[in-house]
Amino acid sequence: MERTFIAIKPDGVQRGLISEIVSRFERKGFKLVAIKIVVPSKGFAEKHYHDLKERPFFNGLCDFLSSGPVIAMVWEGEGVIKYGRKLIGATDPQKSEPGTIRGDLAVVVGRNIIHGSDGPETAKDEINLWFKPDELVSYTSNSEKWLYGDN
Ligand code: GTP
Ligand code: MG
C-alpha cells in the first residue's frame, strides 16, 4: 500500500496543532505507520529540502525547520501521496482553500505548519531519510474492511 511522509513543522507543534492535523489524516481513513518527535539539525533540514537549495528562502527555511520539535510521520493508504497534498492545501496559505490544513490554520508561506511528500519518489526518499526501516509498523487496522470493501 502507498505511503507518504508528512511532517508537522515547528510552528504547527508550537501552536498546539498536532492533534488537529493528525485527526484530519486519521478521519479521512489513512493509517499511521510511523511517528516520532525530533529536532532536526540544520544539516538534516538541508538534506530534506535539498531540491530547493538554489531558492532565496532556502537558508531561512532550513533554519526554521531546525528551530524546534517536528512531528515526523508516515501515513499509508490508497492514493495517500496525492490526497495528502489535497488535505494540506496550496503551499501559500493565502492561496489554500478553506477546508484544507493550511487554508484553515496558517497565514503565510514561511509558516505553513506542515510538509507532505510531492510524489512517489520523494515519498520514498523522505521516508528513508527520516526513518529507519524498523521504525515503520505494518499492521491491519479494523477499519480497513469498511474503508476499502472486499476487493
Ligand atoms: P512542503 O510540503 O513543505 O515541501 O511544501 P510544498 O511542497 O507545498 O512547497 P515547496 O516544496 O515548493 O516549498 C517548501 C517550503 O518552502 C514551503 O512549504 C514553504 O514553507 C517554503 N517556501 C516555498 N516557497 C516560498 C517562498 O516563496 N517564500 C518563503 N519564505 N518560503 C517559501
Ligand atoms: Mg515540497
Side-chain angles (χ1 to χ4, degrees), residues 9 49 52 57 61 85 91 102 109-110 112 114-116 118:
K9 299 177 184 179
Y49 277 131
L52 299 171
F57 54 82
L61 177 63
R85 298 272 295 181
T91 306
R102 288 170 176 160
V109 69
N112 62 3
I114 182 167
H115 163 81
D118 61 13

Side-chain angles (χ1 to χ4, degrees), residues 94-108:
Q94 296 285 336
K95 297 183 181 137
S96 315
E97 295 298 324
T100 65
I101 291 168
R102 288 170 176 160
D104 289 350
L105 304 170
V107 188
V108 297

Side-chain angles (χ1 to χ4, degrees), residues 55-74:
R55 306 296 290 275
F57 54 82
F58 179 71
N59 191 51
L61 177 63
C62 294
D63 274 339
F64 176 61
L65 191 71
S66 58
S67 68
V70 169
I71 300 294
M73 299 178 280
V74 179

Side-chain angles (χ1 to χ4, degrees), residues 5-11 40-55 57-66 70 85 88 91 102 109-118 122 125-126 129-130:
F5 174 71
I6 300 291
I8 304 174
K9 299 177 184 179
D11 49 345
S41 66
K42 176 94 182 271
F44 190 92
E46 287 168 353
K47 267 192 207 161
H48 172 76
Y49 277 131
H50 68 276
D51 281 352
L52 299 171
K53 64 175 178 294
E54 305 303 335
R55 306 296 290 275
F57 54 82
F58 179 71
N59 191 51
L61 177 63
C62 294
D63 274 339
F64 176 61
L65 191 71
S66 58
V70 169
R85 298 272 295 181
I88 289 170
T91 306
R102 288 170 176 160
V109 69
R111 297 290 183 273
N112 62 3
I113 70 173
I114 182 167
H115 163 81
S117 304
D118 61 13
T122 45
D125 291 349
E126 290 169 1
L129 176 66
W130 287 80

